[in-house]
């Protein structure tokens, strides 16, 4: 860029009565200097949009400006014509030869870190820079054309615009005229165009003679609006750039660790959560027809109601306005639990007829424990839907909520469907489990003797079948139980006593029909009509 | 297997067995093959080289093993003490006289995998020249393995009844002179 020259003399020569005060002149000089340096700096980094317009609503789009601006932000193109004011396009002036010089100056493209290529503010990004009306005078035209280019340089910079807005307001027409008259003289193009440029920001609307205070005020408002938009734009660009950056490998592990260390949060506190829709989806997912009111009540826990009322009291709102009219899920939970137990009793009595009531009770107690119920509930996403004071939801609350859901299903669809539900979700929890893992029995031999006595079979005689490593620290003994000279069971053990006990357990499993090789549970068989059962057993 | 409890099932699966093999009139190579399979644990479905699932093998009557052919005289066991002039070569007879368990031991050692587990497996091998076994080992035994070679009977081991019961091809006349 050319050297800066003092613009005193041109200014002084031109404008007589409207000569600006020395302070304003100094400000003007400083501003010019600043602008030059600033423009140099930011022109490295700025993108020039295709169109610049001044007057927002009434303007017809100027097509004379060259389209197809190259994407390199350093190479800039100057339009054929820049029209300052007015609607018509017929300006008989030819392009000044200086602009060719500007355009033909080779620029080295720099490697730049630019924001996205398209800045999308609106269709007409910078309204107030729309150059529409043709200038009445030639010198102004020249200036305007070259100025337009520089204006584009600064169009992305809020500071420049703001500064222009601030400083230029004082310098009105006289300066413009002064600058324009000096253009044709020997001074380098850039300075004078720059001096006139800032003025043009403000004085674009009409011919110099038509400028009024009202227009200036409206333009000022436009400038402020634009500045704000520019600010938002730049922030958005920064955010986008940050998101699009590749996360380095040494940062990745740290971010993952932070994600894992973060305390667990409820699903309802994370984005994209619609409670009503989630409830509907829950009912849909299970292929069940829940009544949504019952289901919503099933998820409400007393701890939640308490905590909510306390919270609302703390907010000191009017009690009537904010009263929580939510019902507890206690009743539903009790209903669900009792139904599940009675249903499971019937199921097991049917499937394992030889199993004694103590054994059936043990199985049902296992299936309705907190652990099993909370495991099933977590995997059915009941934890996400539960309304509870604490998070993660404690297992007893989950257990209560799960059976409340079953109670809600009972109320919505009836005992048949609920029975199928209970069968489908609770009975698979027995897979892989041994009978005596669930049913802790202390004296299996005594139990066996009782069972055999009921069938009129003599007491079993234990005999050592096999043994190995008796004098080592890892012996193994196989003891067989013989009733009437026939073996009913054989069991291994570390010691003789342990082996005998194991043999007794094996014999019991065989008697109850709960061996490892029994037929798997039949889920397709329809159970007995439970409605009738319920009617008969007073509930 | 048959509805055992989990702990009992695992104990039974990974328990170490004690096998007994009688080496009387058996080729040492065949004996060694049997024992190597059991020492490694390859006879178990839960075998893995790193699982340490090998069993104990007790071989009795190693003094009475039987080489086929002329191996007693022709098979040579060589060793070098590491010192100059320390190369020794012994025939099978000489070695057997020196140590009646050595032949079987060498045979098994050579058949085991050549890794660091070999020495551990050799420690689980118990060789006895006769059928006299210490009591603690006797108590540990689980079962006896069948012998790999069927021992042929000598004529003098047949009882007179068996000889008489054996069918004759033809009955010679009384004055027939057998050469």
């Amino acid at each position: 860029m050319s050297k800066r020259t003092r613009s005193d003399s041109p200014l002084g020569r031109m404008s007589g009565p409207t000569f600006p005060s020395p302070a304003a002149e100094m400000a003007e000089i400083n501003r010019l200097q600043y602008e030059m340096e600033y423009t140099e700096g930011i022109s490295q980094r700025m993108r020039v949009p295709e169109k610049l317009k001044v007057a927002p609503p009434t303007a017809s789009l100027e097509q004379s400006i060259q389209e197809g601006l190259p994407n390199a932000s350093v190479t800039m193109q100057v339009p054929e014509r820049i029209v300052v004011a007015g609607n018509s396009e017929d300006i008989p002036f030819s392009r000044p030869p200086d602009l060719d010089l500007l355009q033909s100056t080779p620029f080295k493209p720099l490697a730049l870190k630019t924001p996205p290529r398209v800045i999308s503010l609106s269709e007409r990004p910078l309204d107030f820079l729309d150059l529409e009306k043709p200038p009445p005078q030639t010198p102004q035209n020249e200036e305007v054309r070259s100025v337009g280019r520089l204006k584009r340089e600064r169009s992305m910079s809020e500071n420049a615009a703001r500064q222009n807005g601030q400083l230029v307001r004082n310098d009105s027409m006289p300066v413009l005229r002064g600058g324009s008259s000096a253009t044709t003289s020997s001074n380098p193009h850039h300075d004078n165009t720059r001096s006139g440029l800032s003025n043009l920001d403000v004085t674009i609307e009409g011919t110099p003679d038509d400028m009024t205070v009202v227009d200036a005020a409206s333009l000022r408002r436009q400038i402020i609006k634009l500045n704000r938009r520019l600010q938002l734009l730049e922030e958005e660009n920064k955010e986008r750039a940050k998101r699009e950056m590749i996360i380095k490998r040494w940062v990745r592990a740290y971010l993952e660790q932070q994600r894992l260390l973060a305390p667990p949060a409820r699903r309802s506190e994370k984005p994209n959560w619609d409670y009503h829709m989630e409830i509907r989806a829950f009912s849909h997912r299970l292929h069940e027809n829940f009544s949504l009111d019952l289901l919503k009540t099933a998820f409400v826990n007393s701890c939640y109601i308490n905590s909510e009322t306390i919270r609302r009291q703390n907010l000191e709102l009017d009690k009537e306005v904010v009263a929580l009219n939510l019902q507890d899920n206690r009743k539903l939970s009790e209903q669900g639990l009792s139904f599940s137990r009675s249903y499971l009793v019937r199921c097991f009595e049917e499937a394992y007829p030889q199993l004694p009531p103590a054994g059936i009770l043990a199985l049902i107690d296992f299936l309705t424990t907190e652990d099993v119920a909370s495991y099933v509930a977590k995997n059915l996403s009941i934890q996400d839907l539960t309304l509870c004071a604490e998070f993660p939801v404690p297992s007893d609350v989950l257990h209560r909520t799960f059976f409340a859901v079953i109670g809600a299903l009972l109320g919505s669809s009836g005992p048949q469907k609920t029975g199928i539900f209970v069968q489908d979700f609770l009975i698979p929890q027995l897979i892989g489990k041994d009978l005596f893992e669930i049913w802790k029995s202390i004296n299996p031999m005594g139990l066996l003797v009782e069972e055999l006595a009921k069938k009129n079979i003599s007491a079993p005689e234990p005999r050592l079948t096999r043994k190995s490593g008796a004098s080592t620290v890892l012996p193994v003994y196989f003891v067989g139980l013989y009733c009437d000279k026939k073996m009913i069971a054989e069991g291994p053990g570390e010691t003789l006593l342990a082996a005998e006990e194991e043999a007794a357990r094996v014999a019991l499993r065989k008697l109850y029909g709960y061996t490892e090789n029994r037929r798997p549970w039949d889920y397709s068989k329809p159970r007995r009509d439970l409605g009738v059962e319920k009617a008969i057993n007073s509930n | 297997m048959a509805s055992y409890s989990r702990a009992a099932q695992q104990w039974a699966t990974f328990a170490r067995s004690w096998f007994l093999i009688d080496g009387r009139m058996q080729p040492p190579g065949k004996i060694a093959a049997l024992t190597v399979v059991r020492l490694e644990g390859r006879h178990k479905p839960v075998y893995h080289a790193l699982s340490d699932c090998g069993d104990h093998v007790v071989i009795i009557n190693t003094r009475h093993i039987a080489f086929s052919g002329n191996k007693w005289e022709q098979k040579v066991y060589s060793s070098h003490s590491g010192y100059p002039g320390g190369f020794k070569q012994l025939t099978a007879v000489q070695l057997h006289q020196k140590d009646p368990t050595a032949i079987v031991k060498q045979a098994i050692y050579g058949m085991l995998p050549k890794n660091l587990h070999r020495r551990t497996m050799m420690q689980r091998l118990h060789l006895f020249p006769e059928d006299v076994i210490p009591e603690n080992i006797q108590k540990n035994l689980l079962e006896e393995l069948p012998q790999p070679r069927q021992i042929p009977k000598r004529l003098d081991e047949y009882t007179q009844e068996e000889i008489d019961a054996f069918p004759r091809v033809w009955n010679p006349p009384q004055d027939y002179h057998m050469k």
Side-chain angles (χ1 to χ4, degrees), chain A residues 480-528:
Chain A
L481 293 176
Y482 292 84
C483 290
D484 301 330
K485 309 278 178 65
K486 283 220 184 89
M487 190 162 89
I488 55 169
E490 191 186 21
E494 267 179 68
T495 59
L496 281 164
L497 286 173
E500 196 184 325
E501 194 187 319
E502 185 56 37
R505 281 187 208 272
V506 172
L508 281 171
R509 282 189 202 109
K510 281 189 182 166
L511 279 175
Y512 296 151
Y514 209 94
T515 53
E516 260 180 18
N517 58 352
R518 66 185 184 277
R519 283 196 86 88
W521 190 272
D522 188 357
Y523 292 91
S524 59
K525 196 167 84 173
R527 300 283 158 199
R528 291 195 303 259

Side-chain angles (χ1 to χ4, degrees), chain A residues 476 478 491-494 498 502, chain B residues 4-14:
Chain A
V476 64
F478 276 79
E494 267 179 68
E502 185 56 37
Chain B
Y4 298 149
S5 320
R6 239 177 266 278
Q9 172 71 70
Q10 187 166 11
W11 189 265
T13 311
F14 292 102

Side-chain angles (χ1 to χ4, degrees), chain B residues 21-26 28 31 58-66 72 96 99-105 108 125-131:
Chain B
I21 301 181
D22 189 356
R24 186 176 290 273
M25 297 299 286
Q26 303 300 311
I31 295 282
V58 176
I59 307 182
I60 55 176
N61 290 322
T62 58
R63 182 169 278 137
H64 306 281
I65 53 171
W72 283 114
H96 197 66
D99 179 11
T101 65
I103 289 178
V104 179
K105 195 163 169 196
I108 292 171
L125 173 70
H126 311 274
L127 298 166
F128 301 100
E130 308 288 347
D131 54 5

Side-chain angles (χ1 to χ4, degrees), chain A residues 432 437 467-472 474-476 478 490 492 494 502 505-506 509 515-516, chain B residues 1-6 8-9 11-12 15-18 136-142:
Chain A
E437 274 178 55
K467 68 175 173 65
S468 173
S471 71
T472 59
L474 304 171
V476 64
F478 276 79
E490 191 186 21
E494 267 179 68
E502 185 56 37
R505 281 187 208 272
V506 172
R509 282 189 202 109
T515 53
E516 260 180 18
Chain B
M1 211 179 78
S3 311
Y4 298 149
S5 320
R6 239 177 266 278
Q9 172 71 70
W11 189 265
R16 228 185 285 280
S17 322
W18 286 68
N136 52 348
I137 295 180
Q138 180 107 40
K139 278 202 281 202
N140 294 342
L141 291 173
L142 172 66

Side-chain angles (χ1 to χ4, degrees), chain A residues 17-170:
Chain A
T18 51
F19 190 85
S21 59
E25 199 186 350
M26 284 309 297
E28 172 72 7
I29 291 160
N30 289 339
R31 185 185 48 74
L32 286 176
Q33 188 180 10
Y34 177 87
E35 276 168 8
M36 240 192 307
E37 287 160 5
Y38 187 87
T39 317
E40 272 176 303
I42 59 174
S43 67
Q44 309 282 326
R45 294 183 287 133
M46 282 201 302
R47 289 244 348 102
V48 181
E50 280 193 72
K51 289 179 260 214
L52 306 175
K53 289 185 210 154
V54 174
T58 59
S60 57
L61 208 51
E62 194 71 303
Q63 294 305 321
S64 64
I65 296 171
Q66 286 175 6
E67 307 279 345
L69 202 62
N71 271 342
S73 61
V74 180
T75 54
M76 292 183 288
Q77 278 186 1
V78 182
E80 280 275 330
R81 280 174 216 290
I82 299 169
V83 190
V84 178
N87 294 324
S88 60
E89 293 186 30
D90 42 358
I91 301 155
F93 307 116
S94 62
R95 210 155 156 256
D98 299 325
L99 286 177
D100 290 328
L101 180 67
L102 278 171
Q103 253 187 333
S104 59
T105 314
F107 279 110
K108 255 189 279 187
L110 304 174
L112 299 168
K113 266 194 306 189
T114 57
R117 306 208 180 273
V118 175
I119 297 166
S120 55
L121 256 182
S122 64
E123 216 186 307
R124 297 181 179 191
L126 300 158
D127 293 335
F128 82 106
L129 293 175
D130 194 3
L131 310 174
E132 287 180 300
K133 302 179 210 166
Q137 298 158 25
T138 316
Q140 275 192 347
N141 254 354
E142 288 179 14
E143 222 176 11
V144 159
R145 280 186 219 115
S146 44
V147 152
R149 172 178 80 82
L150 294 164
K151 192 174 300 187
R152 278 200 222 135
E153 285 179 59
R154 254 179 286 183
S155 64
M156 293 304 110
S157 157
E158 52 175 317
N159 291 335
R162 208 184 292 135
Q163 203 174 38
N164 288 341
Q166 281 166 7
L167 289 172
V168 163
R169 243 164 268 134
N170 302 328

